[in-house]
Amino acid sequence: EVNDDSKEVTVDGESVKLTPYEYKILLLLVKNQGRVFTIEQIYENVWHEAAINTETVMVHVRNLREKIEINPSNPQYLKVVWGVGYKIEKQ
């Protein structure tokens, strides 16, 4: 659950601490559930500049998964669409 007013994220009732960029990536995906974003689109939406270093997106997504997924190697929420990008599954 993402509360944009308080900038709080909870998973199964437990508060999760995210970095500002992790939060922005999660918020973008949550607000667009089911929509697939390329790594470049995520970078441009979160950093507000042309995608230069997309590796940084993958690092943030990996860290985000570690924090919000029960089993990060088999994600329930933050899904990869191979060859395309990432999405949050509709719940």
Side-chain angles (χ1 to χ4, degrees), residues 18-54:
L18 301 178
T19 69
Y21 284 116
E22 290 167 352
Y23 179 81
K24 289 176 185 177
I25 292 168
L26 182 62
L27 187 63
L28 172 68
L29 296 174
V30 165
K31 284 186 171 183
N32 297 278
Q33 284 187 25
R35 178 177 168 197
V36 179
F37 283 86
T38 66
I39 293 170
E40 291 81 10
Q41 288 172 320
I42 293 171
Y43 189 95
E44 290 169 2
N45 276 281
V46 170
W47 278 266
H48 303 291
E49 61 186 36
I52 300 163
N53 181 5
T54 56

Side-chain angles (χ1 to χ4, degrees), residues 8-89:
E8 291 179 321
V9 175
T10 56
V11 177
D12 293 333
E14 297 289 320
S15 182
V16 178
K17 301 279 187 226
L18 301 178
T19 69
Y21 284 116
E22 290 167 352
Y23 179 81
K24 289 176 185 177
I25 292 168
L26 182 62
L27 187 63
L28 172 68
L29 296 174
V30 165
K31 284 186 171 183
N32 297 278
Q33 284 187 25
R35 178 177 168 197
V36 179
F37 283 86
T38 66
I39 293 170
E40 291 81 10
Q41 288 172 320
I42 293 171
Y43 189 95
E44 290 169 2
N45 276 281
V46 170
W47 278 266
H48 303 291
E49 61 186 36
I52 300 163
N53 181 5
T54 56
E55 178 82 17
T56 198
V57 172
M58 291 183 282
V59 171
H60 285 291
V61 167
R62 184 172 56 242
N63 293 339
L64 188 52
R65 269 201 183 128
E66 292 288 330
K67 294 177 180 182
I68 68 166
E69 297 287 354
I70 294 167
N71 181 358
S73 60
N74 185 21
Q76 178 182 349
Y77 307 111
L78 183 47
K79 303 279 189 167
V80 67
V81 178
W82 292 106
V84 182
Y86 298 99
K87 70 176 181 174
I88 290 283
E89 284 287 302

